[in-house]
Amino acid sequence: MVHGQLVSDVPAGEVITTFVQSALGADEVALQVARRRVVDRLGWERFVDLTAVMAMFELNTRAADAIGIPLEAPSVEGRNGLARRFGFDARAGGFAPQE
Amino acid sequence: MTAVGQSQGEVRAAITTAHDRVWASIASPGATLPGTKRCAIVSEARAASICSLCSRRKQAIAPAQVDGLHASPSLRAGLLTEAEVEIVHKIVTDPGRVTRTWVDQQLAIGISDSAYVEIASLVCLIRVVDTFRKGVGLPELAEPDPLPGDPSGYRPPSAADEGAFVPMIPINGLDEDTSDLFNPRAFVPNVQRAFSLVPDSTRLANQLMQSHYLDYQSVTQYTDDDHDRSISKAQMELVATQVSLYNDCFY
């Protein structure tokens, strides 16, 4: 999904993807290069906005998993249906991992 | 807009204001933890990223079977307990494999459910500030100096089992002390209620959401006509998806 068609359909998707992967990783040189490419391509303001979204999802993902929140009822069937189609691990009832 | 020193440009004031509020909050006593422990979690969350035990567990099929000691500045200094350090490191380095069994083990050791939520929320808040600053090329903020005082001991009276690992405030469970946490007449995503056992953490998360992304109640149905960010919804969702994949987030 990230390396496939979706990325190429999103404006500047390739440089954004490389930047996020670098920012979440530990290679400082790679991050510097990726950062420069995003700023050159999109400008500083857009770069700041996408960095802010990235930072926020460091909270949202960990909050969800640390607290084990269940999926909202309207999301359960849709998500599990999609997961089953692609062979992912569906969550019966939308509950987080128990064991 | 606020200038940010060594960086190449400026950062929206709403972002820096939210970060300042998070850092000031960390220094103050929380619901269950004194300022000393809350501040120690800043260094601990950063140390977790280079902890060799966490690295080995991350690569293991069964992380619980990998024994060892965490590389922990707070444990050495006597600021955090082993259980508190374990919680910080797990949520930093392997959040996608947090399970109810693991959480129950931490509670059985003597960590209260409120303390667990407070620690988890602090890790998450710190990650927002640190990740943003790393991303734009700014140095880490220094660990705040703890303020004196005792934890409030506050626990929302309506907190209940909502199917998560720990209690949350039900959508219709707000009272006069918590009425600002979310709008029960609108769609409330469960992630917004995740930290509601410690309401101040929910308040900080709400402010971070509004300044970094969109408010929680908008995220399921917004279009590019509904926001004033400089990037498109497609770009924001691409970033969000990538972070979720990287952290192996189930939600």
Side-chain angles (χ1 to χ4, degrees):
Chain A
M1 182 164 142
V2 169
H3 295 291
Q5 190 65 29
L6 177 61
V7 170
S8 61
D9 286 349
V10 176
E14 293 291 347
V15 292
I16 291 172
T17 297
T18 303
F19 169 70
V20 173
Q21 290 174 346
S22 300
L24 298 178
D27 187 336
E28 182 59 33
V29 174
L31 173 57
Q32 289 178 16
V33 172
R35 182 190 298 130
R36 171 48 55 197
R37 286 181 177 157
V38 174
V39 174
D40 288 347
R41 179 84 176 270
L42 296 175
W44 180 261
E45 183 182 5
R46 291 189 179 95
F47 166 68
V48 168
D49 278 352
L50 72 86
T51 304
V53 174
M54 174 183 69
M56 191 63 222
F57 274 81
E58 281 283 276
L59 182 150
N60 286 335
T61 54
R62 285 182 169 79
D65 286 336
I67 304 303
I69 55 171
L71 286 172
E72 295 81 6
S75 303
V76 173
E77 189 46 43
R79 296 260 190 113
N80 281 349
L82 191 63
R84 281 191 293 271
R85 279 181 62 191
F86 288 96
F88 296 157
D89 183 17
R91 303 289 189 196
F95 293 108
Q98 303 294 301
E99 296 181 352
Chain B
M1 304 286 273
T2 300
V4 288
Q6 298 174 11
S7 192
Q8 301 170 9
E10 296 178 324
V11 173
R12 283 186 279 112
I15 292 175
T16 54
T17 298
H19 290 188
D20 290 345
R21 186 175 169 206
V22 166
W23 234 242
S25 169
I26 290 170
S28 301
T32 68
L33 302 176
T36 49
K37 281 185 180 285
R38 290 168 61 87
C39 290
I41 289 172
V42 173
S43 297
E44 201 59 51
R46 291 169 176 171
S49 299
I50 54 172
C51 173
S52 61
L53 174 60
C54 289
S55 178
R56 283 185 281 124
R57 284 181 171 174
K58 179 75 173 176
Q59 295 168 22
I61 294 173
Q65 294 183 357
V66 179
D67 290 328
L69 295 173
H70 288 293
S72 169
S74 310
L75 196 57
R76 285 196 300 272
L79 294 170
L80 296 177
T81 66
E82 287 187 26
E84 291 163 343
V85 168
E86 166 69 10
I87 293 167
V88 172
H89 282 233
K90 179 75 170 181
I91 295 172
V92 170
T93 63
D94 203 9
R97 290 199 286 182
V98 172
T99 63
R100 182 182 292 278
T101 297
W102 177 83
V103 173
D104 286 347
Q105 287 170 349
Q106 310 317 310
L107 303 183
I109 291 170
I111 300 286
S112 71
D113 53 8
S114 294
Y116 176 80
V117 173
E118 186 168 346
I119 294 168
S121 66
L122 286 168
V123 170
C124 294
L125 295 164
I126 292 162
R127 290 293 299 185
V128 175
V129 176
D130 279 1
T131 301
F132 180 85
R133 294 183 66 88
K134 178 186 177 186
V136 299
L138 290 169
E140 290 176 339
L141 293 174
E143 182 181 312
D145 294 324
L147 297 174
D150 296 325
S152 69
Y154 179 76
R155 181 186 179 91
S158 65
D161 182 355
E162 292 277 285
F165 299 153
V166 289
M168 303 191 298
I169 297 178
I171 289 177
N172 293 317
L174 298 174
D175 60 22
E176 61 181 9
D177 293 327
T178 55
S179 61
D180 60 323
L181 296 188
F182 50 80
N183 178 5
R185 289 174 295 282
F187 174 70
V188 183
N190 287 339
V191 68
Q192 187 175 19
R193 295 192 293 142
F195 299 145
S196 57
L197 194 58
V198 181
D200 282 344
S201 293
T202 298
R203 294 185 178 100
L204 290 166
N206 284 343
Q207 186 180 17
L208 288 171
M209 271 293 279
Q210 289 161 1
S211 55
H212 289 64
Y213 182 39
L214 302 165
D215 65 76
Y216 277 111
Q217 290 170 359
S218 301
V219 296
T220 58
Q221 51 193 2
Y222 77 101
T223 71
D224 279 328
D225 293 331
D226 303 321
H227 68 86
D228 59 0
R229 297 290 185 251
S230 61
I231 56 177
S232 67
K233 174 177 181 176
Q235 290 169 318
M236 286 194 273
E237 296 310 308
L238 175 62
V239 171
T241 301
Q242 275 200 278
V243 179
S244 296
L245 282 169
Y246 189 91
N247 289 333
D248 195 22
C249 177
F250 124 86
Y251 183 68

